[in-house]
Amino acid sequence: MDDALLRLAFAGLAPRRVDSLVASFGTVEAAVSAIVSGRTSLDRLVVDEVAVSATTRRRQLGAAGIDFLTRDQDGYPRRLAGAAFAPRWLFAIGDPSIAATPTLAIVGTRTCTAYGRDLAFAYGGVAASMGWCVVSGLAKGIDGAAHEGTLSAGGRCVAVLGCGVDVVYPRRHRGLYGAITERGGAVVSEFPPMTPPHAWRFPTRNRIIAGMSDVVLVVEANASGGALITAGLALEMGVPVFATPGDVDRPASIGTNLLIRDGAFPVFGGDDLAEVLDLTVPCVPSG
């Protein structure tokens, strides 16, 4: 099973397409066989990737320092493994199992204000000082500031990517990417190495952020976007969602203000976050 999953993972397909193939052919092994034998409509480049043996893939991953984790393996984040939408696999650099500790997702818009960026940085520092792991997406704006704040306070974080774990995106975060793994954190993705950061992949990664977290904090968010997708998935799972209010006429605050209107817990700065995290009892993963 793990060999077949590894080969299928290198197809680089959307999760729904993977699920459809497995459902159509009955098992992961049968789906891999069908792809390699040309019994699907997949592009020839995809077929060629899946045709590569699991032995060769493991050798390639080992040489690159990349782990391949399935849902039933040690190292796969236990909280995420219990989610209905958990990826069948993750590629990882570093140790994603640190998300078994209390974990706070800090997310928000790429087009944040200086105010929002400063708050995200401060929130990351508060979480780190309290022993919480911070999960975010390494994107510019709120995500990057949250990672930076966490690391500046000596904390650990997990970056969930919408590209391959060996692809630094945005490029300006190359130093931040390296610091996350060097300081005991992890970079993870369900997409295979060298996968480019195409736009459709980012919404799918947001479910991973939500599934890994005990609490989701939205700092600034537009009326639509990835941060609200993450918050919505968290709410469906019963994960508490916090949000920072902002000016009613500021585009970057529309999403957070709407979340608060609809029941998200408002957070008014670093000291306030420390108080509510102190009162929050993280869910304890089974196993």
Side-chain angles (χ1 to χ4, degrees):
M1 168 69 84
D2 286 354
D3 284 358
L5 279 172
L6 178 56
R7 294 175 66 187
L8 185 57
F10 272 85
L13 301 173
R16 289 184 179 179
R17 185 69 172 113
V18 170
D19 291 342
S20 175
L21 285 167
V22 174
S24 294
F25 294 102
T27 65
V28 174
E29 292 87 349
V32 168
S33 177
I35 293 170
V36 173
S37 62
R39 291 182 284 125
T40 69
S41 60
L42 294 174
D43 185 90
R44 184 68 216 180
L45 291 176
V46 174
V47 174
D48 289 345
E49 291 291 339
V50 177
V52 177
S53 72
T55 299
T56 297
R57 290 304 190 194
R58 288 196 173 89
R59 184 168 60 250
Q60 293 170 340
L61 292 174
I66 299 172
D67 291 321
F68 179 76
L69 303 169
T70 59
R71 284 187 299 222
D72 59 350
Q73 284 183 307
D74 291 340
Y76 190 104
R78 288 184 292 162
R79 187 175 297 101
L80 176 62
F85 50 70
R88 294 172 184 268
W89 55 71
L90 287 174
F91 294 92
I93 296 176
D95 181 15
S97 69
I98 62 171
T101 63
T103 301
L104 171 68
I106 303 177
V107 296
T109 180
R110 291 172 169 82
T111 56
C112 65
T113 65
Y115 167 78
R117 179 176 177 80
D118 289 346
L119 278 176
F121 186 94
Y123 289 153
V126 167
S129 69
M130 299 181 69
W132 285 60
C133 171
V134 169
V135 177
S136 197
L138 199 68
K140 67 179 182 178
I142 296 300
D143 290 15
H147 287 305
E148 290 168 356
T150 303
L151 295 172
S152 72
R156 297 190 296 177
C157 42
V158 177
V160 184
L161 308 186
C163 52
V165 291
D166 56 346
V167 177
V168 180
Y169 180 80
R171 292 182 180 180
R172 69 177 73 176
H173 283 170
R174 181 169 298 279
L176 182 56
Y177 171 102
I180 287 172
T181 55
E182 289 167 6
R183 300 181 192 180
V187 177
V188 305
S189 175
E190 65 184 308
F191 300 109
M194 299 182 67
T195 297
H198 291 156
W200 69 266
R201 295 190 173 97
F202 289 92
T204 67
R205 66 89 185 266
N206 292 329
R207 78 193 197 286
I208 301 175
I209 295 174
M212 293 178 72
S213 305
D214 291 296
V215 174
V216 171
L217 169 58
V218 186
V219 181
E220 283 187 327
N222 297 317
S224 61
L228 296 189
I229 293 173
T230 304
L233 290 168
L235 289 170
E236 290 178 10
M237 297 172 60
V239 173
V241 172
F242 300 166
T244 295
D247 295 347
V248 295
D249 58 352
R250 181 186 296 167
S253 294
I254 292 175
T256 48
N257 289 340
L258 289 174
L259 284 172
I260 292 169
R261 183 199 66 182
D262 294 339
F265 191 92
V267 174
F268 304 102
D271 291 342
D272 194 39
L273 177 63
E275 289 186 18
V276 294
L277 287 184
D278 193 46
L279 296 173
T280 301
V281 180
C283 65
V284 179
S286 60

